[in-house]
Short mmCIF file of all heavy atoms in Angstrom, two decimals:
data_model
loop_
_atom_site.label_atom_id
_atom_site.label_comp_id
_atom_site.label_asym_id
_atom_site.label_seq_id
_atom_site.Cartn_x
_atom_site.Cartn_y
_atom_site.Cartn_z
N MET A 3 1.67 -44.03 -2.85
CA MET A 3 0.80 -43.54 -1.80
C MET A 3 1.49 -42.34 -1.08
O MET A 3 0.86 -41.36 -0.77
CB MET A 3 0.52 -44.65 -0.81
CG MET A 3 -0.33 -44.36 0.30
SD MET A 3 -1.98 -44.12 -0.27
CE MET A 3 -2.80 -43.92 1.30
N LYS A 4 2.78 -42.49 -0.88
CA LYS A 4 3.58 -41.46 -0.19
C LYS A 4 3.60 -40.16 -0.97
O LYS A 4 3.44 -39.07 -0.51
CB LYS A 4 4.90 -41.98 0.16
CG LYS A 4 5.67 -41.11 1.08
CD LYS A 4 7.02 -41.77 1.40
CE LYS A 4 7.66 -41.08 2.67
NZ LYS A 4 8.92 -41.75 2.98
N LYS A 5 3.81 -40.32 -2.30
CA LYS A 5 3.86 -39.17 -3.19
C LYS A 5 2.52 -38.43 -3.22
O LYS A 5 2.44 -37.19 -3.30
CB LYS A 5 4.21 -39.54 -4.64
CG LYS A 5 5.66 -39.95 -4.75
CD LYS A 5 6.04 -40.28 -6.13
CE LYS A 5 7.53 -40.71 -6.27
NZ LYS A 5 7.87 -41.12 -7.57
N THR A 6 1.43 -39.20 -3.25
CA THR A 6 0.08 -38.62 -3.18
C THR A 6 -0.23 -37.83 -1.99
O THR A 6 -0.77 -36.69 -2.10
CB THR A 6 -1.05 -39.74 -3.39
OG1 THR A 6 -0.66 -40.55 -4.52
CG2 THR A 6 -2.37 -39.16 -3.56
N MET A 7 0.26 -38.29 -0.90
CA MET A 7 0.04 -37.55 0.42
C MET A 7 0.88 -36.27 0.44
O MET A 7 0.38 -35.30 0.90
CB MET A 7 0.31 -38.45 1.58
CG MET A 7 -0.65 -39.60 1.79
SD MET A 7 -0.33 -40.55 3.16
CE MET A 7 -0.58 -39.42 4.54
N ILE A 8 2.11 -36.32 -0.09
CA ILE A 8 2.92 -35.16 -0.12
C ILE A 8 2.25 -34.13 -1.11
O ILE A 8 2.18 -32.92 -0.73
CB ILE A 8 4.40 -35.59 -0.61
CG1 ILE A 8 5.01 -36.34 0.49
CG2 ILE A 8 5.14 -34.26 -0.92
CD1 ILE A 8 6.41 -36.85 0.14
N PHE A 9 1.78 -34.51 -2.27
CA PHE A 9 1.20 -33.59 -3.21
C PHE A 9 -0.12 -33.02 -2.57
O PHE A 9 -0.34 -31.85 -2.75
CB PHE A 9 0.86 -34.45 -4.51
CG PHE A 9 0.17 -33.53 -5.57
CD1 PHE A 9 0.87 -32.57 -6.21
CD2 PHE A 9 -1.15 -33.74 -5.77
CE1 PHE A 9 0.24 -31.80 -7.19
CE2 PHE A 9 -1.87 -32.93 -6.69
CZ PHE A 9 -1.16 -31.97 -7.37
N GLY A 10 -0.86 -33.85 -1.90
CA GLY A 10 -2.11 -33.36 -1.33
C GLY A 10 -1.77 -32.35 -0.18
O GLY A 10 -2.48 -31.39 -0.04
N GLY A 11 -0.81 -32.62 0.57
CA GLY A 11 -0.38 -31.66 1.64
C GLY A 11 0.08 -30.36 1.11
O GLY A 11 -0.32 -29.26 1.62
N ILE A 12 0.81 -30.37 -0.01
CA ILE A 12 1.27 -29.17 -0.65
C ILE A 12 0.07 -28.41 -1.19
O ILE A 12 -0.08 -27.14 -1.04
CB ILE A 12 2.37 -29.43 -1.66
CG1 ILE A 12 3.61 -29.94 -1.03
CG2 ILE A 12 2.61 -28.21 -2.57
CD1 ILE A 12 4.65 -30.45 -2.07
N LEU A 13 -0.85 -29.08 -1.82
CA LEU A 13 -1.98 -28.48 -2.39
C LEU A 13 -2.87 -27.85 -1.31
O LEU A 13 -3.37 -26.74 -1.45
CB LEU A 13 -2.79 -29.53 -3.19
CG LEU A 13 -3.99 -29.02 -4.02
CD1 LEU A 13 -3.47 -28.04 -5.10
CD2 LEU A 13 -4.73 -30.16 -4.68
N VAL A 14 -3.05 -28.49 -0.19
CA VAL A 14 -3.80 -27.97 0.95
C VAL A 14 -3.15 -26.69 1.47
O VAL A 14 -3.76 -25.66 1.76
CB VAL A 14 -4.09 -28.94 2.03
CG1 VAL A 14 -4.56 -28.44 3.27
CG2 VAL A 14 -5.08 -30.14 1.44
N ALA A 15 -1.86 -26.74 1.65
CA ALA A 15 -1.10 -25.60 2.15
C ALA A 15 -1.21 -24.41 1.19
O ALA A 15 -1.43 -23.27 1.71
CB ALA A 15 0.42 -25.91 2.35
N ILE A 16 -1.12 -24.59 -0.08
CA ILE A 16 -1.28 -23.51 -1.05
C ILE A 16 -2.73 -22.99 -0.96
O ILE A 16 -2.94 -21.76 -1.02
CB ILE A 16 -0.94 -23.97 -2.47
CG1 ILE A 16 0.47 -24.23 -2.63
CG2 ILE A 16 -1.46 -23.03 -3.53
CD1 ILE A 16 0.97 -24.89 -3.86
N LEU A 17 -3.68 -23.80 -0.90
CA LEU A 17 -5.10 -23.33 -0.78
C LEU A 17 -5.37 -22.55 0.51
O LEU A 17 -6.04 -21.50 0.45
CB LEU A 17 -6.02 -24.64 -0.81
CG LEU A 17 -7.35 -24.40 -1.40
CD1 LEU A 17 -7.19 -24.45 -2.88
CD2 LEU A 17 -8.30 -25.53 -0.92
N ILE A 18 -4.80 -22.96 1.61
CA ILE A 18 -4.99 -22.20 2.88
C ILE A 18 -4.23 -20.91 2.77
O ILE A 18 -4.78 -19.88 3.15
CB ILE A 18 -4.40 -23.14 4.10
CG1 ILE A 18 -5.32 -24.26 4.34
CG2 ILE A 18 -4.31 -22.16 5.30
CD1 ILE A 18 -4.83 -25.24 5.39
N GLY A 19 -3.08 -20.79 2.16
CA GLY A 19 -2.38 -19.56 2.01
C GLY A 19 -3.13 -18.65 1.09
O GLY A 19 -3.19 -17.48 1.34
N PHE A 20 -3.77 -19.17 -0.01
CA PHE A 20 -4.59 -18.35 -0.87
C PHE A 20 -5.76 -17.76 -0.11
O PHE A 20 -6.15 -16.58 -0.27
CB PHE A 20 -5.04 -19.15 -2.07
CG PHE A 20 -5.91 -18.44 -3.03
CD1 PHE A 20 -5.34 -17.43 -3.83
CD2 PHE A 20 -7.28 -18.76 -3.11
CE1 PHE A 20 -6.11 -16.73 -4.74
CE2 PHE A 20 -8.10 -17.99 -4.01
CZ PHE A 20 -7.52 -17.01 -4.80
N VAL A 21 -6.48 -18.58 0.68
CA VAL A 21 -7.62 -18.16 1.39
C VAL A 21 -7.19 -17.02 2.39
O VAL A 21 -7.90 -16.01 2.57
CB VAL A 21 -8.33 -19.34 2.10
CG1 VAL A 21 -9.34 -18.79 3.12
CG2 VAL A 21 -8.97 -20.24 1.16
N VAL A 22 -6.15 -17.23 3.09
CA VAL A 22 -5.66 -16.24 4.07
C VAL A 22 -5.33 -14.87 3.33
O VAL A 22 -5.65 -13.82 3.83
CB VAL A 22 -4.46 -16.71 4.89
CG1 VAL A 22 -3.83 -15.65 5.68
CG2 VAL A 22 -4.86 -17.84 5.79
N PHE A 23 -4.66 -15.04 2.14
CA PHE A 23 -4.29 -13.85 1.37
C PHE A 23 -5.60 -13.06 0.95
O PHE A 23 -5.53 -11.87 1.06
CB PHE A 23 -3.54 -14.26 0.12
CG PHE A 23 -3.20 -13.15 -0.80
CD1 PHE A 23 -2.12 -12.25 -0.45
CD2 PHE A 23 -3.87 -13.04 -1.96
CE1 PHE A 23 -1.89 -11.22 -1.32
CE2 PHE A 23 -3.63 -11.95 -2.84
CZ PHE A 23 -2.62 -11.08 -2.52
N ILE A 24 -6.56 -13.73 0.44
CA ILE A 24 -7.79 -13.16 0.01
C ILE A 24 -8.56 -12.43 1.11
O ILE A 24 -9.06 -11.36 0.93
CB ILE A 24 -8.71 -14.14 -0.77
CG1 ILE A 24 -8.08 -14.58 -2.11
CG2 ILE A 24 -10.06 -13.64 -0.99
CD1 ILE A 24 -7.90 -13.53 -3.07
N GLN A 25 -8.54 -13.02 2.34
CA GLN A 25 -9.19 -12.45 3.43
C GLN A 25 -8.55 -11.18 4.04
O GLN A 25 -9.16 -10.29 4.53
CB GLN A 25 -9.38 -13.48 4.55
CG GLN A 25 -10.33 -14.53 4.29
CD GLN A 25 -10.47 -15.52 5.41
OE1 GLN A 25 -9.57 -15.58 6.32
NE2 GLN A 25 -11.50 -16.32 5.37
N ASN A 26 -7.19 -11.14 3.89
CA ASN A 26 -6.45 -10.08 4.55
C ASN A 26 -5.94 -8.95 3.69
O ASN A 26 -5.57 -7.97 4.17
CB ASN A 26 -5.28 -10.66 5.32
CG ASN A 26 -5.77 -11.57 6.46
OD1 ASN A 26 -6.71 -11.26 7.11
ND2 ASN A 26 -4.98 -12.68 6.65
N VAL A 27 -5.97 -9.12 2.37
CA VAL A 27 -5.46 -8.09 1.49
C VAL A 27 -6.57 -7.61 0.54
O VAL A 27 -7.24 -8.40 -0.08
CB VAL A 27 -4.33 -8.73 0.62
CG1 VAL A 27 -3.87 -7.71 -0.50
CG2 VAL A 27 -3.15 -9.20 1.42
N ASN A 28 -6.73 -6.30 0.59
CA ASN A 28 -7.68 -5.65 -0.30
C ASN A 28 -6.95 -5.38 -1.68
O ASN A 28 -6.18 -4.45 -1.75
CB ASN A 28 -8.25 -4.38 0.26
CG ASN A 28 -9.31 -3.77 -0.53
OD1 ASN A 28 -9.66 -4.21 -1.61
ND2 ASN A 28 -9.96 -2.76 -0.02
N ILE A 29 -7.17 -6.11 -2.67
CA ILE A 29 -6.43 -6.01 -3.91
C ILE A 29 -6.64 -4.75 -4.62
O ILE A 29 -5.82 -4.26 -5.27
CB ILE A 29 -6.76 -7.31 -4.86
CG1 ILE A 29 -6.35 -8.54 -4.13
CG2 ILE A 29 -6.12 -7.16 -6.20
CD1 ILE A 29 -6.76 -9.83 -4.81
N ASN A 30 -7.86 -4.21 -4.45
CA ASN A 30 -8.18 -2.91 -5.04
C ASN A 30 -7.37 -1.70 -4.52
O ASN A 30 -7.24 -0.72 -5.07
CB ASN A 30 -9.68 -2.61 -4.91
CG ASN A 30 -10.52 -3.60 -5.59
OD1 ASN A 30 -10.16 -4.09 -6.66
ND2 ASN A 30 -11.68 -3.86 -5.10
N ARG A 31 -6.76 -1.90 -3.27
CA ARG A 31 -6.03 -0.80 -2.64
C ARG A 31 -4.55 -0.92 -2.94
O ARG A 31 -3.68 -0.12 -2.40
CB ARG A 31 -6.23 -0.83 -1.14
CG ARG A 31 -7.67 -0.58 -0.75
CD ARG A 31 -8.04 0.82 -0.66
NE ARG A 31 -7.01 1.52 0.14
CZ ARG A 31 -7.07 2.79 0.38
NH1 ARG A 31 -8.03 3.50 -0.14
NH2 ARG A 31 -6.09 3.38 1.03
N LEU A 32 -4.09 -1.98 -3.61
CA LEU A 32 -2.59 -2.13 -3.84
C LEU A 32 -2.11 -0.95 -4.75
O LEU A 32 -2.66 -0.65 -5.78
CB LEU A 32 -2.37 -3.50 -4.52
CG LEU A 32 -2.55 -4.66 -3.65
CD1 LEU A 32 -2.28 -5.97 -4.56
CD2 LEU A 32 -1.63 -4.64 -2.47
N GLY A 33 -1.06 -0.28 -4.23
CA GLY A 33 -0.47 0.80 -5.06
C GLY A 33 -1.27 2.16 -4.96
O GLY A 33 -1.04 3.02 -5.77
N THR A 34 -2.08 2.32 -4.01
CA THR A 34 -2.89 3.55 -3.87
C THR A 34 -2.33 4.45 -2.80
O THR A 34 -3.08 5.33 -2.35
CB THR A 34 -4.35 3.23 -3.58
OG1 THR A 34 -4.46 2.47 -2.36
CG2 THR A 34 -5.02 2.42 -4.72
N GLU A 35 -1.11 4.30 -2.45
CA GLU A 35 -0.64 5.27 -1.41
C GLU A 35 -0.27 6.60 -1.81
O GLU A 35 -0.22 7.57 -1.19
CB GLU A 35 0.78 4.65 -0.81
CG GLU A 35 0.49 3.45 0.08
CD GLU A 35 0.32 2.17 -0.69
OE1 GLU A 35 0.81 2.01 -1.88
OE2 GLU A 35 -0.33 1.32 -0.16
N SER A 36 -0.16 6.80 -3.18
CA SER A 36 0.11 8.09 -3.82
C SER A 36 -1.19 8.75 -4.18
O SER A 36 -2.07 8.11 -4.74
CB SER A 36 1.01 7.93 -5.05
OG SER A 36 2.22 7.32 -4.71
N TYR A 37 -1.21 10.06 -3.97
CA TYR A 37 -2.39 10.80 -4.42
C TYR A 37 -1.89 12.22 -4.79
O TYR A 37 -0.83 12.55 -4.44
CB TYR A 37 -3.43 10.88 -3.31
CG TYR A 37 -2.99 11.42 -2.02
CD1 TYR A 37 -3.14 12.81 -1.78
CD2 TYR A 37 -2.49 10.69 -1.02
CE1 TYR A 37 -2.72 13.36 -0.57
CE2 TYR A 37 -2.01 11.20 0.17
CZ TYR A 37 -2.15 12.57 0.38
OH TYR A 37 -1.71 13.14 1.55
N TYR A 38 -2.72 12.93 -5.60
CA TYR A 38 -2.39 14.15 -6.16
C TYR A 38 -3.45 15.16 -5.89
O TYR A 38 -4.62 14.81 -5.88
CB TYR A 38 -2.07 14.04 -7.69
CG TYR A 38 -0.94 13.10 -7.96
CD1 TYR A 38 -1.20 11.77 -8.21
CD2 TYR A 38 0.41 13.52 -7.87
CE1 TYR A 38 -0.15 10.85 -8.40
CE2 TYR A 38 1.35 12.64 -8.19
CZ TYR A 38 1.15 11.29 -8.38
OH TYR A 38 2.17 10.40 -8.65
N VAL A 39 -3.08 16.35 -5.67
CA VAL A 39 -4.07 17.43 -5.44
C VAL A 39 -3.75 18.58 -6.35
O VAL A 39 -2.63 19.02 -6.49
CB VAL A 39 -3.99 17.90 -3.95
CG1 VAL A 39 -4.92 19.02 -3.68
CG2 VAL A 39 -4.19 16.79 -2.98
N GLN A 40 -4.84 19.11 -6.94
CA GLN A 40 -4.68 20.28 -7.82
C GLN A 40 -5.11 21.53 -6.97
O GLN A 40 -6.26 21.58 -6.45
CB GLN A 40 -5.52 20.16 -9.07
CG GLN A 40 -5.35 21.34 -10.02
CD GLN A 40 -6.17 21.17 -11.32
OE1 GLN A 40 -6.76 20.11 -11.46
NE2 GLN A 40 -6.14 22.11 -12.08
N ILE A 41 -4.22 22.51 -6.90
CA ILE A 41 -4.45 23.73 -6.12
C ILE A 41 -4.76 24.89 -7.08
O ILE A 41 -3.90 25.12 -7.94
CB ILE A 41 -3.29 23.97 -5.23
CG1 ILE A 41 -3.08 22.87 -4.22
CG2 ILE A 41 -3.52 25.27 -4.41
CD1 ILE A 41 -1.85 22.95 -3.48
N GLN A 42 -5.81 25.58 -6.87
CA GLN A 42 -6.07 26.76 -7.63
C GLN A 42 -6.12 28.00 -6.85
O GLN A 42 -6.67 27.98 -5.72
CB GLN A 42 -7.48 26.58 -8.41
CG GLN A 42 -7.47 25.41 -9.34
CD GLN A 42 -8.82 25.16 -9.93
OE1 GLN A 42 -9.77 25.83 -9.59
NE2 GLN A 42 -8.96 24.26 -10.83
N ASP A 43 -5.52 29.05 -7.25
CA ASP A 43 -5.47 30.35 -6.56
C ASP A 43 -5.01 30.24 -5.12
O ASP A 43 -5.53 30.84 -4.20
CB ASP A 43 -6.91 30.98 -6.59
CG ASP A 43 -7.44 31.19 -7.98
OD1 ASP A 43 -6.53 31.42 -8.84
OD2 ASP A 43 -8.63 31.14 -8.18
N GLY A 44 -3.96 29.47 -4.92
CA GLY A 44 -3.39 29.35 -3.56
C GLY A 44 -2.13 30.13 -3.40
O GLY A 44 -1.43 30.44 -4.34
N ASN A 45 -1.83 30.44 -2.23
CA ASN A 45 -0.58 31.19 -1.95
C ASN A 45 0.48 30.16 -1.51
O ASN A 45 0.17 29.33 -0.65
CB ASN A 45 -0.82 32.16 -0.77
CG ASN A 45 -1.73 33.31 -1.18
OD1 ASN A 45 -1.89 33.63 -2.30
ND2 ASN A 45 -2.55 33.77 -0.25
N ARG A 46 1.70 30.27 -2.03
CA ARG A 46 2.70 29.40 -1.67
C ARG A 46 3.55 29.94 -0.46
O ARG A 46 3.98 31.11 -0.60
CB ARG A 46 3.65 29.21 -2.86
CG ARG A 46 4.80 28.28 -2.59
CD ARG A 46 5.65 28.05 -3.82
NE ARG A 46 6.78 27.20 -3.46
CZ ARG A 46 7.60 26.72 -4.34
NH1 ARG A 46 7.51 26.98 -5.63
NH2 ARG A 46 8.60 26.01 -3.86
N VAL A 47 3.62 29.25 0.57
CA VAL A 47 4.36 29.70 1.78
C VAL A 47 5.45 28.70 2.13
O VAL A 47 5.21 27.55 2.22
CB VAL A 47 3.39 29.82 2.96
CG1 VAL A 47 4.12 30.35 4.22
CG2 VAL A 47 2.21 30.73 2.67
N GLU A 48 6.65 29.23 2.16
CA GLU A 48 7.85 28.37 2.56
C GLU A 48 8.09 28.67 4.01
O GLU A 48 8.12 29.81 4.45
CB GLU A 48 9.04 28.75 1.74
CG GLU A 48 8.88 28.34 0.28
CD GLU A 48 10.10 28.53 -0.53
OE1 GLU A 48 11.24 28.68 0.10
OE2 GLU A 48 10.02 28.60 -1.82
N ASP A 49 8.34 27.65 4.80
CA ASP A 49 8.58 27.76 6.20
C ASP A 49 9.58 26.75 6.64
O ASP A 49 10.04 25.88 5.87
CB ASP A 49 7.28 27.56 7.03
CG ASP A 49 7.28 28.30 8.31
OD1 ASP A 49 8.35 28.85 8.68
OD2 ASP A 49 6.24 28.32 9.05
N LYS A 50 10.13 26.80 7.90
CA LYS A 50 11.09 25.86 8.42
C LYS A 50 10.41 25.28 9.63
O LYS A 50 9.84 25.96 10.51
CB LYS A 50 12.37 26.57 8.78
CG LYS A 50 13.25 26.91 7.63
CD LYS A 50 14.62 27.36 8.05
CE LYS A 50 15.49 27.66 6.89
NZ LYS A 50 16.77 28.10 7.33
N ALA A 51 10.63 23.92 9.75
CA ALA A 51 10.26 23.22 10.99
C ALA A 51 11.22 23.45 12.15
O ALA A 51 12.29 24.16 11.97
CB ALA A 51 10.14 21.76 10.67
N ASP A 52 10.89 23.02 13.31
CA ASP A 52 11.80 23.19 14.46
C ASP A 52 13.08 22.50 14.26
O ASP A 52 14.13 22.97 14.84
CB ASP A 52 11.15 22.63 15.69
CG ASP A 52 9.86 23.38 16.12
OD1 ASP A 52 9.86 24.63 15.76
OD2 ASP A 52 8.98 22.85 16.85
N ASN A 53 13.19 21.45 13.49
CA ASN A 53 14.41 20.73 13.27
C ASN A 53 15.21 21.38 12.09
O ASN A 53 16.27 20.81 11.73
CB ASN A 53 14.20 19.26 13.03
CG ASN A 53 13.39 19.01 11.81
OD1 ASN A 53 12.94 19.98 11.07
ND2 ASN A 53 13.01 17.76 11.51
N GLY A 54 14.73 22.42 11.52
CA GLY A 54 15.50 23.13 10.41
C GLY A 54 15.15 22.68 9.07
O GLY A 54 15.59 23.20 8.11
N GLU A 55 14.20 21.71 8.91
CA GLU A 55 13.82 21.17 7.67
C GLU A 55 12.86 22.19 6.99
O GLU A 55 11.86 22.66 7.59
CB GLU A 55 13.16 19.78 7.75
CG GLU A 55 12.83 19.17 6.51
CD GLU A 55 12.25 17.77 6.66
OE1 GLU A 55 12.60 17.12 7.67
OE2 GLU A 55 11.45 17.41 5.86
N LYS A 56 13.11 22.53 5.69
CA LYS A 56 12.17 23.41 4.96
C LYS A 56 10.98 22.64 4.42
O LYS A 56 11.02 21.50 4.09
CB LYS A 56 12.93 24.03 3.72
CG LYS A 56 14.04 24.94 4.12
CD LYS A 56 14.84 25.33 2.93
CE LYS A 56 14.27 26.62 2.36
NZ LYS A 56 15.05 27.10 1.22
N TYR A 57 9.84 23.29 4.51
CA TYR A 57 8.61 22.69 3.91
C TYR A 57 7.79 23.77 3.27
O TYR A 57 7.98 24.96 3.58
CB TYR A 57 7.87 21.87 4.94
CG TYR A 57 7.21 22.66 6.08
CD1 TYR A 57 5.91 23.27 6.06
CD2 TYR A 57 7.96 22.87 7.27
CE1 TYR A 57 5.47 23.92 7.04
CE2 TYR A 57 7.47 23.60 8.28
CZ TYR A 57 6.17 24.19 8.18
OH TYR A 57 5.69 24.91 9.28
N ILE A 58 6.92 23.41 2.35
CA ILE A 58 6.11 24.29 1.61
C ILE A 58 4.64 23.93 1.83
O ILE A 58 4.30 22.77 1.74
CB ILE A 58 6.40 24.31 0.10
CG1 ILE A 58 7.90 24.67 -0.08
CG2 ILE A 58 5.51 25.19 -0.65
CD1 ILE A 58 8.38 24.47 -1.55
N TYR A 59 3.79 24.94 2.08
CA TYR A 59 2.37 24.64 2.18
C TYR A 59 1.62 25.79 1.44
O TYR A 59 2.15 26.83 1.11
CB TYR A 59 1.95 24.48 3.60
CG TYR A 59 1.97 25.69 4.45
CD1 TYR A 59 0.95 26.66 4.63
CD2 TYR A 59 3.20 25.96 5.16
CE1 TYR A 59 1.13 27.71 5.37
CE2 TYR A 59 3.26 27.02 6.00
CZ TYR A 59 2.24 27.91 6.13
OH TYR A 59 2.34 29.03 6.92
N TYR A 60 0.42 25.47 1.07
CA TYR A 60 -0.37 26.41 0.30
C TYR A 60 -1.56 26.82 1.06
O TYR A 60 -2.23 26.15 1.78
CB TYR A 60 -0.81 25.70 -0.99
CG TYR A 60 0.35 25.35 -1.88
CD1 TYR A 60 1.01 24.24 -1.77
CD2 TYR A 60 0.77 26.28 -2.88
CE1 TYR A 60 2.08 23.86 -2.58
CE2 TYR A 60 1.86 25.98 -3.64
CZ TYR A 60 2.55 24.84 -3.55
OH TYR A 60 3.57 24.46 -4.32
#
């Protein structure tokens, strides 16, 4: 009886964790932080920020 209650508690905890995960995480958006842009006929401009860091924009 005690083993059954422990197993049931663990199963309920896993089920609740799965439901919370599904509600809060958009699985289709995992790994989509990177994106790429193709630039055609742009001018490359190198500049420096106020802190001295170089950056490039088009």
